[in-house]
């Protein structure tokens, strides 16, 4: 069984990634904190502790494990809890350290980017996209430290792919929801059109994120080495109304491009479908009320 390192695997979305990958890999979860030597991991999971901003520690750890694949999921996930400069520095430096070490090991790589890389959500005045639906080729113009850190991480990924001839996928999830806990369906969100306008009311189920990670690791979309970014969103929007109607109501105009039919998502899923064969399976219409426990990575 191949070995995969997953950084940030004890986090809210990371544990869904680990739970999916442990079906086919020996997973080594690397986080800042260790669950303790008294904790018994679930099958095919082990733990290491490391500061991902410590280049020497990351390089030594990756070299000692010699993984077949690396999933870099460890980051400060948004603005608001840390100084903005700290968010940028932590995320950009950690990405450089982990991806460089993974490239040196010849590992296949998947990393967590974000739709924040486009620069819509945290902009002082949210701009309309240049096209609808938004493809992965849309310009990335973030103004904030979080979005800028994701652009930096994607550029590092491209450089690592060129230098080491490895395959790297940067996954751009929108707002990740866990089954049964869908804040995108809370009354304060659905009752305020502006609450979700910054990412055009997009979202994604954590299980679909985990499946895209797995698919990106097991699909040869760049067999000679290369970097590709993939939108990772649900097929519908979180309000369930026609998307173009929502955009026109909030912004007073519509972008150019082919447009989006019905209650679809603003982000194009075509590339993920063509290169990975991935399509999202979950919608808020069922998942918001599903009773699915969050994966546990240690035994009771």
């Amino acid at each position: 069984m191949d070995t995969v390192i997953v950084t940030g695997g004890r986090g809210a979305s990371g544990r869904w990634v680990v739970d999916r990958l442990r079906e086919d890999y020996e997973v080594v979860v690397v986080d800042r904190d260790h669950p303790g030597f008294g904790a018994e991991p679930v099958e095919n999971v082990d733990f290491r502790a490391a500061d991902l901003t410590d280049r020497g520690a990351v390089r030594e750890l990756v070299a000692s494990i010699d993984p077949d694949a690396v999933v870099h999921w460890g980051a400060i996930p948004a603005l608001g809890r840390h100084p903005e400069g700290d968010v940028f520095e932590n995320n950009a430096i950690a990405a450089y350290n982990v991806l460089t070490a993974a490239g040196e090991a010849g590992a296949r790589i998947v990393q967590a980017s974000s739709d924040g890389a486009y620069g819509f959500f945290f902009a002082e005045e949210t701009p309309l996209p240049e096209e609808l639906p938004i493809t992965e080729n849309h310009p990335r113009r973030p103004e904030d430290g979080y979005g800028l850190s994701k652009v930096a991480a994607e550029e590092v990924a491209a450089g690592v792919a060129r230098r080491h001839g490895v395959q790297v996928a940067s996954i751009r999830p929108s707002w990740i929801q866990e089954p049964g806990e869908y804040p995108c369906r809370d009354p304060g969100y659905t009752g305020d059109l502006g609450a979700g306008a910054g990412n055009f009311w997009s979202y994604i189920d954590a299980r679909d994120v985990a499946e895209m990670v797995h698919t990106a690791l097991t699909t040869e979309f760049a067999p000679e080495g290369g970097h590709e970014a993939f939108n990772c969103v649900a097929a519908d929007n979180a309000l369930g109304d026609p998307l173009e109607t929502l955009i026109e109501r909030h912004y007073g105009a519509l972008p150019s491009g082919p447009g989006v039919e019905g209650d679809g998502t603003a982000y194009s899923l075509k590339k993920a479908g063509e290169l990975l064969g991935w399509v999202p399976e979950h919608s808020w219409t069922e998942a918001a009320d599903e009773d699915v426990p969050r994966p546990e990575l240690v035994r009771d």
Side-chain angles (χ1 to χ4, degrees), residues 5 57-67 70 97-98 101-103 105 107:
I5 290 174
V58 170
R59 192 172 185 178
E60 178 183 337
L61 181 64
V62 173
S64 68
I65 296 171
D66 191 24
V70 172
N97 293 344
V98 174

Side-chain angles (χ1 to χ4, degrees), residues 145-226:
Y146 176 74
L148 289 167
S149 76
K150 294 303 181 181
V151 171
E154 290 190 10
E155 292 303 316
V156 169
V160 167
R162 287 191 298 270
R163 184 171 190 176
H164 297 286
V166 295
Q167 175 175 291
V168 189
S170 291
I171 294 178
R172 296 175 180 169
S174 195
W175 190 12
I176 300 176
Q177 316 284 303
E178 296 184 74
E181 300 180 17
Y182 262 55
C184 70
R185 292 301 300 168
D186 290 347
Y189 182 89
T190 59
D192 178 3
L193 187 63
N199 72 343
F200 313 108
W201 308 278
S202 62
Y203 71 99
I204 182 67
D205 191 285
R207 294 166 293 182
D208 283 327
V209 174
E211 190 61 36
M212 180 180 271
V213 172
H214 182 274
T215 302
L217 285 180
T218 55
T219 302
E220 288 196 357
F221 59 83
E224 302 302 320

